[in-house]
Amino acid sequence: MTAMQDQSLIGDGQFETPLKRVVFEPGMLLGVEATSSEQDYHRRRLVRHQYWLHGYGTVSGLVVSLEADQPENADQHILTKLIVSPGVGIDGLGREVSSYEPYCINLKDWLEAHSDKERIWQVGNGGFDGSDNSLWLKVVFRYQEQPTGLQPVMATKINAGTDPVQPSRLKDCILLELTPEKPLFDDLAFAPWGPPAYLEPLRAGHAHGHAPADPADALNPDEKTYLSAHADADGLLNLNAAMLHALGTGKSALDMLVKETEAAQTLLARIRIQLNPDRKVVSNPQRVQINNLLRPFVATPQQLISLHRSVAP
């Protein structure tokens, strides 16, 4: 990843920084920095709108599936690929991602690269579940800029050895990552996959604050009385009370609780691979299970209307 891409990631995660827009006045001397700031203002304003008001997750598509030849048996180590279908989503920082074509992750090469010479999975790599001798992986996505359209520019160094060039465009792209992670679950009803994303504890944002366990604890006496007297069956007032104090009241309420890279990563699917008794990794479709329903989803108003019409009597 280039320094430019790192800077974009960090800037998109600075929710605690007020936005500034350029003021154009006759006779004012403005340079490249002003043009970049003008674009940055509108872009980051849209990102924050999607982050706070729509959330993060899959809008449509981005299905993770398995592609491989039919093996002779479950112990045959063959080429196995993970295919991510076209789709649209919003990553954990509120940035829209559109994938216009399928993407391939070579699962066989990835497993070999993260195992030792004997294809033994190293426990220190994470994802290993000793209770059933399995390996857990997750596929995540996030937005990434890709510099393109190189153009010659004025040299900034004396006696430069090559003709200086800079990208003239930044292309919106999707970054897919495969990482080992064992799912955590408190309710055995969701074993072994863990609960779906919509059952996670209420959060004000992907990496901002946590709703109090009991919304009434943070309320003043008058608010507690009102909540107790007007508690509704569907819990909307309790939800409002939880959101009221989810960020806290300190000066750092909008600071990220995790690194920008971690906050941007958004789950697509969890993968379970059955290992050999000696923890040997076998790239074989008969040993691989995929669950796409655990991911977070972003529901559009049109989708909700269609759902209501389909279930209405």
Side-chain angles (χ1 to χ4, degrees):
M1 181 179 295
T2 66
M4 181 182 298
Q5 291 163 344
D6 278 333
Q7 190 62 37
S8 170
L9 180 64
I10 295 173
D12 291 338
Q14 292 178 343
F15 292 89
E16 73 283 1
T17 304
L19 297 180
K20 300 178 183 179
R21 65 177 184 269
V22 180
V23 177
F24 298 97
E25 294 292 344
M28 182 181 294
L29 182 62
L30 300 174
V32 174
E33 184 275 334
T35 305
S36 299
S37 296
E38 177 71 6
Q39 290 186 350
D40 190 58
Y41 171 79
H42 292 287
R43 181 180 172 278
R44 291 176 65 184
R45 190 172 181 84
L46 175 61
V47 165
R48 293 186 181 190
H49 171 87
Q50 294 180 153
Y51 179 87
W52 291 113
L53 299 183
H54 297 284
Y56 61 97
T58 300
V59 176
S60 181
L62 300 175
V63 179
V64 180
S65 59
L66 200 65
E67 182 178 290
D69 294 331
Q70 184 63 36
E72 297 178 359
N73 52 65
D75 294 322
Q76 185 181 8
H77 189 62
I78 63 175
L79 177 62
T80 307
K81 302 176 183 178
L82 296 175
I83 306 297
V84 181
S85 71
V88 180
I90 299 177
D91 78 0
L93 293 180
R95 302 175 300 178
E96 180 184 331
V97 170
S98 298
S99 176
Y100 305 99
E101 59 186 356
Y103 283 89
C104 172
I105 301 175
N106 191 320
L107 183 60
K108 178 175 179 289
D109 287 349
W110 190 94
L111 291 172
E112 291 176 350
H114 289 77
S115 305
D116 64 14
K117 295 181 179 180
E118 301 297 326
R119 299 207 312 272
I120 304 299
W121 182 261
Q122 303 298 301
V123 177
N125 290 343
F128 176 70
D129 186 356
S131 63
D132 60 356
N133 197 38
S134 61
L135 171 63
W136 288 93
L137 309 175
K138 67 176 181 178
V139 180
V140 297
F141 78 92
R142 66 179 173 89
Y143 168 90
Q144 179 172 288
E145 294 176 343
Q146 180 61 46
T148 185
L150 296 179
Q151 295 287 338
V153 297
M154 296 292 293
T156 57
K157 297 181 180 179
I158 300 177
N159 296 327
T162 58
D163 294 333
V165 294
Q166 289 290 339
S168 62
R169 301 289 188 275
L170 289 176
K171 183 180 179 181
D172 291 346
C173 297
I174 182 173
L175 176 65
L176 298 169
E177 297 178 280
L178 183 62
T179 58
E181 181 185 84
K182 180 182 176 182
L184 301 177
F185 52 87
D186 298 324
D187 188 346
L188 292 179
F190 295 104
W193 294 100
Y198 70 86
L199 289 180
E200 291 181 358
L202 179 65
R203 294 181 294 182
H206 182 66
H208 285 95
H210 297 276
D214 185 356
D217 289 344
L219 302 179
N220 62 42
D222 293 325
E223 292 169 340
K224 290 181 180 179
T225 301
Y226 185 86
L227 180 64
S228 176
H230 300 280
D232 46 353
D234 57 6
L236 181 58
L237 200 57
N238 282 298
L239 173 64
N240 294 341
M243 295 303 297
L244 190 65
H245 296 277
L247 290 178
T249 57
K251 294 182 178 179
S252 59
L254 294 183
D255 289 350
M256 275 286 179
L257 300 180
V258 296
K259 294 181 179 180
E260 289 82 1
T261 303
E262 182 180 348
Q265 293 176 340
T266 307
L267 181 67
L268 284 182
R270 291 196 181 275
I271 301 172
R272 179 179 179 272
I273 303 176
Q274 186 65 52
L275 304 179
N276 276 351
D278 57 357
R279 296 204 316 273
K280 190 171 184 179
V281 174
V282 179
S283 175
N284 189 297
Q286 297 181 10
R287 292 179 172 267
V288 181
Q289 297 173 291
I290 301 176
N291 193 330
N292 283 277
L293 290 178
L294 302 172
R295 68 175 73 183
F297 288 87
V298 178
T300 65
Q302 185 60 44
Q303 289 173 332
L304 295 178
I305 292 175
S306 299
L307 178 63
H308 172 72
R309 289 174 177 173
S310 66
V311 300

